[in-house]
Amino acid sequence: MESDELRAASARIGSSSVWRSSGVDVFSGSSRREEDEQELKWAAIEKLPTYLRMTRGILTEAEGQPPTEIHINKLGPLQRKNLVERLVKIAEQDNEKFLFKLRDRIDRVGLEIPTIEVRFEHLNVEAEAHVGSRALPTIFNFCIDLLEVIVNVVSEAENTDKFKCVSLGSSILFTLFPVERSHSQFLMMSAESSSLKGKKVELIFVELNDTSFRPSKLWKDHIIVGTGWKTWQRSKIIAQMNKSHLKVYDSFYFIPDELQSSGRVLYNGRGMEEFVPQRTSAYISQTDLHIGEMTVRETLAFSARCQGIGTRYEMLAELSRREKAENIKPDPDLDIYMKFLDSAVNMLEMYVANLNVLNLQAAALEGQETNVILGLEVCADTMVGDDMIRGISGGQKKRVTTGEMLVGPARALFMDEISTGLDSSTTFQMVNSLRQSIHILNGTAVISLLQPAPETYELFDDIILLSDGQIVYQGPRENVLEFFEYMGFKCPERKGVADFLQEVTSRKDQEQYWANKDEPYTFVTVREFAEAFQSFHIGRKLGDELATPFDMSKGHPAVLTKNKYGVSKKELLKACVSREFLLMKRNSFVYIFKMWQLILTGFITMTLFLRTEMHRDTETDGGIFMGALFFVLIVIMFNGYSELSMSIMKLPVFYKQRDLLFFPSWAYSLPTWILKIPITLVEVGIWVVMTYYVIGFDPSIERFIKQYFLLVCINQMASGLFRFMGAVGRNIIVANTVGSFALLAVMVMGGFILSRVDVKRWWLWGYWFSPMMYAQNALAVNEFLGKSWLHVPPNSTEPLGVKVLKSRGIFPEAYWYWIGVGASIGYMLLFNFLFPLALQYLDPFGKPQALISEEALAERNAGRKEHIIELSSRFKGSSGGTLSARVGSIGASEHNTKRGMVLPFTPLSITFDEIRYAVEMPQEMKNQGILEDRLELLKGVNGAFRPGVLTALMGVSGAGKTTLMDVLSGRKSTGYIQGQITISGYPKKQETFARIAGYCEQTDIHSPHVTVYESLVYSAWLRLPIEVDSATRQQMFIEEVMELVELTSLREALVGLPGVNGLSTEQRKRLTIAVELVANPSIIFMDEPTSGLDARAAAIVMRTVRNTVDTGRTVVCTIHQPSIDIFDAFDELLLLKRGGEEIYVGPLGQHCSQLISYFEGINGVPKIKNGYNPATWMLEVTSEAQEAALGVNFTEIYKNSDLYRELSTPPAGSKDLYFPTKYSQTFFTQCMACLWKQHLSYWRNPPYSAVRLLFTTIIALLFGTIFWDIGSKRQRSQDIFNAMGSMYAAVLFIGIQNSTSVQPVVAIERTVFYRERAAGMYSALPYAFGQVAIEIPYILIQTLVYGVIVYAMIGFDWTLSKFFWYLFFMFFTFLYFTLYGMMAVGLTPDHNVAAIVSFGFYMIWNLFSGFVIPRTRMPVWWRWYFWICPVSWTLYGLVTSQFGDIKERIENGESVEEFVRSYFGYRDDFVGVAAAVLVGFSLLFGFTFAFSIKAFNFQKR
């Protein structure tokens, strides 16, 4: 029966016309093997039904061995590896042959590979952008924005201070194609129509008219390279101009709500609503989002499992059927390979990092392996890593991002900046492999690249040039220069075409390429270029193509996927379960740490509530047991708090994979819940076993088990709650704030802090909704209805347990235990149901609203009117005309022009002799048998850097470039340094060296909440000599430096955080240079000033550097693989080889002539090819392999040359430098400057400052309504407990919130502090003063807001002294919590460690606060901790100041004063002492923070 079904299925596939084409080339047979055995086996396989035939193959294990029939699913790792090595032994050489072999097999039976053409028509995207200072995120603007949202006056605001931007960028181009959803920023696009087809390579630089992306073309952009799936015969490039104006999307699919879009995108003539674009195309983001704890292999394996194999299985089945029908026998190895990859079972288990043959090309190694083409085989089993986990390099991470999507079945690829962090040879290899795949297998793709090398650029067939939202050129690569020559612009001989295309539409760079010298040059606008292209012959041809609608009959019906997910939901769940289990194993430290933390807390708890000290005689004794139960409940609930941060850490990856339709939200959320249950069972088991009998709870084994079961349910409920809050908050600060509200409400309404009978009627719903109420009731009932509490005390008719329950407002019936269990399970199910809903329907927070400076707006408007507006005189260049008029190649240094010379400086040279640097020998190397104690990184380096000379410091990775620069500048914090460094012939004094030197670090570290102009004012204020007056400093010098580095138009722009908001990478580089320049240094060190920039941005930065050198300063740059024209900008070179030895120190000469002649003069060194990059050639000919092949030592050759003798003599004729003080400014000025910057930072950080005040206000109103008029009630002891509960809850929650929220702020500023202190701007104490002092006014406002609202609503006595003491204690409590958070960051490497350490202290402070258990009932061996616990002193002061002098009697006959003294141990005459102690704690934490900042440096160099 089964066989008949299989045959029927086979027949259905065979009869289908889906995989057939009209022109079938029939091959009568194939070459037969001589071995009869193999023929017989193949014949046997051919007789099987198609389904079974797809799982069998003929495998030859090794040469000489007989072939064997094998089941595809039973291929072993070694067999798979050998098979792939036979097919693709050397990726670079065999990849194309393998693809042709594959294509030949498909063509022989006349099977067509499905293809995609993408057209987009009349695309427009708009966004609102704030202008100028209105865009700064000040607290005032935050309130205005909030008001705008509430009142809905956005449309009115548009006419006043907002500006609609319309422009087009490559990333937005991707956005309108499929795949992800994201919030984004202002830069947008406008387009008419276009298409992407295939078998070509094209370059796009920007307005979209009508365009299509077609198959078999490779598209490139300096910013985008694209490839297609059967729509063009060549490849394309997309590049884009003015990237600094672009805010790039990390993801797309739907245009976010903030943007208005119009136009349409068609795939094979069909709208995107007719199919699932995420499954049809793949977007490769320029942002690398991966789970750091997974290896490269596991990351790619998971991606492959989720994406499935698409329609390849059906295609292979049709291929097999046709081969059988036509008696064609395929190559056995190729047959097994295709069957293996297209088996759904194997795909899930093994088909991982091979770039799937039908998408690209593959090189599968074993099991779940990494592909050779991407060069990931060396790190296949290495963790991907993140900020906290050391993992693969940035370049490897970028390749993982690429491989993650290439393992899927998508037929159109959109690849955004895939080469960032890769060297040029790897980029070339990747793009070449893509090109082969696109051309042979009819693919469709778009790729973006940064700084493509000429040889990579040559791989592309077509170019699309985009600029300011318009298509300037779209067509063959060969014709792009022809078009610009037609427009009057010519590419210089030594200029890369890709770099030329990026600059020729730029106002700043265009004039240098003007070729019609007979005609006067006028700026040609983007619109003029775009209009001219329409009449150019390439543009006319494109228009004719697009005028013809897509022929729907040519579109393959299977190519546009309609299934939402790649595999079945069961398989997706299995994949998510296996990943979650893996992550739990990798995060085992967290669970082990939590377990030890639980054990430590349990030990403290059981010794504090020791059964020998716990009696059962009175209601008061019952209250102590109730406190113990409350603390148990708190511990078990908050034990799941780590779920909140762990959930949020994984959210960015989840959102990416959700929007790419890897899996549904429930498949992700279910394993995170189910797999944590065993951990809960163990953790709660440890706690209950440790504490239950030691504390002295009811000894019944039944009640022991019931408490254990209840706590398990509570822990699971709390974990679900925290996960849900993480999904709703989506950001750690927001989640903590929202979470604090929720937890506060849950705890206050839980029945312990405020008893049920005292809950106001308007809050009764909150009591019944609180999951903690049910838990508290169930725990209390389980304990107090036990046998230990059944005795009836004197003068009573009820058992003691029942009296205790009633006194606390708890229901005394036994069935409340089961109600509590049921409610906990119900809430657990509810939160775990809401968690996937929140994941599904909430998107990540968008980036801040776009902003545009007033100057940039004026320039844009000027461009639209096609003339230049004359800006105010302060924006004019000093060399005449506007700054933008000063053009020319960066290599043509204007030595006669001395710019930036408002302030005089002394030109200085730096000379160094026999510099040696060593570190302790790593233990790994000692384990390998190396006996030396030290590893030498620099070996006797000599040289000199002179004024007015730009020196390049170069070498291969590991040569010691940055190490030498750090040693010369005195930035090394570890290691051993030897040698002599002189400044103009005099020994270098490190104490004052920062006064005459600047250091531009590779990582651009700046305070995020100040503007560009303010950053420069701050640097100049602290680093210029005290004699320079403010007017000269600010109005002249800073303005001139801003002009020099081309930052004038960005003066009001917020710096922001890298990759999050604010300045672009290239703008940050220029700011880093400017911050050093305003210090007026004589010597400047720059570490990799062009890393991570595209070609045009690198040119802008190098123009800045060149301008700086032309002022007569000494500048040294480390640089990695510069382009030809950037390398030409340098005057001299210091070249190091691996191991820290110099092999060339001397001048470069014009077009590097002296460098080339020096190395070509060495026997055996190959001559440089015409047009080849001298920097690349130099590194190649001096490599270790080349040195070994020639049998020479380049170091020795250099030391015997004239260059060595010439530069070893230091220049003379200068005097020694002398500075009376280490710092430029006085201690007081340093304090004021630090306070000024912190004021700006806090004022412009509403997520911290404004949200804290908002949080406090809402908490105050919440408490005021919950504890309404509690302060005036003094009839019962419970009234005192309720009033104290309001104080306890406020102190803990607001205090901990202050402490937690300040930690990330301090951590970010500390990294800036390390840079600024190294630059000699200030000492540690002024920085600490500024950080602490700025908190005081904010905490004072917070205290007044909270104090006035709560004091009035709770109804405490309105006497001046009591009100003052209330505000005093609250102020210093909020202050010491905030300073404690700062101190924790200062003493630990980062804020994550600080948060973990702090949490343990919060829990202990809570326990010893005096509320859970009063000091009078603490065992004597723990009372000492009460006196050193800050929270206990806060409650001491608050309770005593309010109730310590009240003579009214409560129900037991005692006065309130006597009760406070007897129960809590608080004395009225101790208020002053409590106040002094709180001030002392604040000072202690503040000074400890200052000391930690001064003494500990967690930045290792």
Side-chain angles (χ1 to χ4, degrees), residues 179 524 677 733 798 852 879 1101 1182 1303:
V179 188
V524 180
I677 293 176
I733 295 172
E798 291 179 318
I852 185 168
S879 56
V1101 168
T1182 59
Q1303 288 176 348

Side-chain angles (χ1 to χ4, degrees), residues 921-955:
M921 186 66 71
Q923 190 60 45
E924 294 85 355
M925 298 180 73
K926 286 185 177 181
N927 295 340
Q928 294 172 10
I930 297 174
L931 301 177
E932 287 85 358
D933 291 330
R934 293 182 183 177
L935 175 64
E936 203 166 38
L937 302 180
L938 295 177
K939 300 171 183 173
V941 180
N942 305 276
F945 305 137
R946 301 195 302 274
V949 176
L950 179 56
T951 307
L953 181 52
M954 294 185 67

Side-chain angles (χ1 to χ4, degrees), residues 813-933:
E813 293 83 7
Y815 59 76
W816 269 95
Y817 171 82
W818 295 109
I819 291 175
V821 168
S824 298
I825 293 173
Y827 274 113
M828 174 180 70
L829 295 173
L830 175 66
F831 293 139
N832 284 296
F833 172 72
L834 292 174
F835 177 48
L837 287 183
L839 291 176
Q840 180 65 35
Y841 294 107
L842 295 179
D843 290 326
F845 288 119
K847 292 181 179 178
Q849 180 154 10
L851 61 97
I852 185 168
S853 68
E854 292 171 11
E855 292 81 10
L857 175 58
E859 283 187 19
R860 177 182 285 271
N861 289 337
R864 285 180 171 180
K865 297 169 187 173
E866 302 188 353
H867 69 276
I868 302 171
I869 290 181
E870 184 70 12
L871 298 175
S872 63
S873 59
R874 69 178 183 181
F875 302 128
K876 290 182 180 178
S878 59
S879 56
T882 61
L883 177 61
S884 52
R886 186 179 179 272
V887 295
S889 77
I890 57 175
S893 55
E894 301 162 24
H895 288 285
N896 298 326
T897 308
K898 298 290 182 184
R899 309 183 71 227
M901 296 287 285
V902 171
L903 294 179
F905 70 95
T906 307
L908 298 172
S909 63
I910 179 169
T911 310
F912 45 98
D913 294 307
E914 284 299 308
I915 296 296
R916 294 180 179 275
Y917 176 74
V919 294
E920 296 289 346
M921 186 66 71
Q923 190 60 45
E924 294 85 355
M925 298 180 73
K926 286 185 177 181
N927 295 340
Q928 294 172 10
I930 297 174
L931 301 177
E932 287 85 358
D933 291 330

Side-chain angles (χ1 to χ4, degrees), residues 44-80:
I45 290 174
E46 288 287 275
K47 291 178 181 176
L48 294 171
T50 303
Y51 174 78
L52 294 179
R53 194 163 67 247
M54 293 281 291
T55 62
R56 304 289 193 277
I58 304 292
L59 181 69
T60 303
E61 296 272 357
E63 234 178 279
Q65 289 190 1
T68 56
E69 180 183 336
I70 189 164
H71 194 286
I72 297 301
N73 294 348
K74 294 179 181 175
L75 270 177
L78 188 60
Q79 291 171 319
R80 296 200 290 268

Side-chain angles (χ1 to χ4, degrees), residues 1015-1028:
S1015 297
L1016 300 183
V1017 169
Y1018 179 68
S1019 181
W1021 189 1
L1022 285 169
R1023 295 177 69 178
L1024 288 176
I1026 202 166
E1027 298 82 24
V1028 180

Side-chain angles (χ1 to χ4, degrees), residues 681-699:
L681 296 174
V682 173
E683 287 177 346
V684 174
I686 289 172
W687 175 270
V688 175
V689 167
M690 278 184 68
T691 62
Y692 190 88
Y693 288 109
V694 180
I695 289 176
F697 290 131
D698 191 87

